[in-house]
Amino acid sequence: MISALLLAAVLADQRIVLTEHLNRRWTHELVSYPINGATQGLQLTGPTGPIPVQVNGSNLTFIVDELAPLATNVYTVSRGQPVASDLVITPATGRVEVVSSRFGVRLLVGDKTYDPPAVSSNVPGPV
């Protein structure tokens, strides 16, 4: 994760400005930034166009594809209409299913101990 000590990030007038100060190239870095106000329908546009975002509570989280040495990237946060989603999350005992029109996954949750130890081919995978 890009450290706040390494980058100056400022949210002003709905802009996030990331400036690289260490003469280092950053790629595929997770950035999380606090957002004030309503979080529904947030959209983020960066140097290369629209960027997927996730809102966790009052934090906006996104991936910075690249921040070149000594460069500055400017991201614009805008509020639009919330995007309808067909995402369905179904929790069940010991698992959770996440399904949309484009993908589906069943994830095992919780802890499982095998006593005596089990052969790995007899143990279900995490996905």
Side-chain angles (χ1 to χ4, degrees):
M1 180 181 282
I2 296 178
S3 169
L5 297 174
L6 302 177
L7 297 175
V10 178
L11 180 63
D13 298 329
Q14 307 208 356
R15 292 182 346 138
I16 297 172
V17 179
L18 298 178
T19 303
E20 204 290 319
H21 294 284
L22 299 177
N23 201 22
R24 178 176 184 238
R25 181 175 177 256
W26 298 85
T27 60
H28 307 293
E29 295 290 335
L30 179 67
V31 172
S32 184
Y33 202 81
I35 293 291
N36 294 325
T39 57
Q40 277 197 323
L42 285 182
Q43 299 169 347
L44 184 68
T45 305
T48 60
I51 296 177
V53 298
Q54 182 173 353
V55 177
N56 298 317
S58 62
N59 288 325
L60 179 73
T61 304
F62 61 100
I63 301 290
V64 174
D65 285 335
E66 181 178 11
L67 183 57
L70 306 176
T72 297
N73 285 2
V74 178
Y75 300 85
T76 303
V77 180
S78 59
R79 288 171 174 36
Q81 292 296 326
V83 177
S85 172
D86 64 348
L87 182 67
V88 177
I89 301 172
T90 308
T93 302
R95 71 172 193 247
V96 63
E97 292 182 7
V98 182
V99 179
S100 78
S101 61
R102 295 182 175 235
F103 81 98
V105 64
R106 181 178 297 143
L107 304 168
L108 299 178
V109 295
D111 295 329
K112 177 73 174 165
T113 304
Y114 295 92
D115 189 22
V119 177
S120 62
S121 61
N122 295 335
V123 177
V127 177

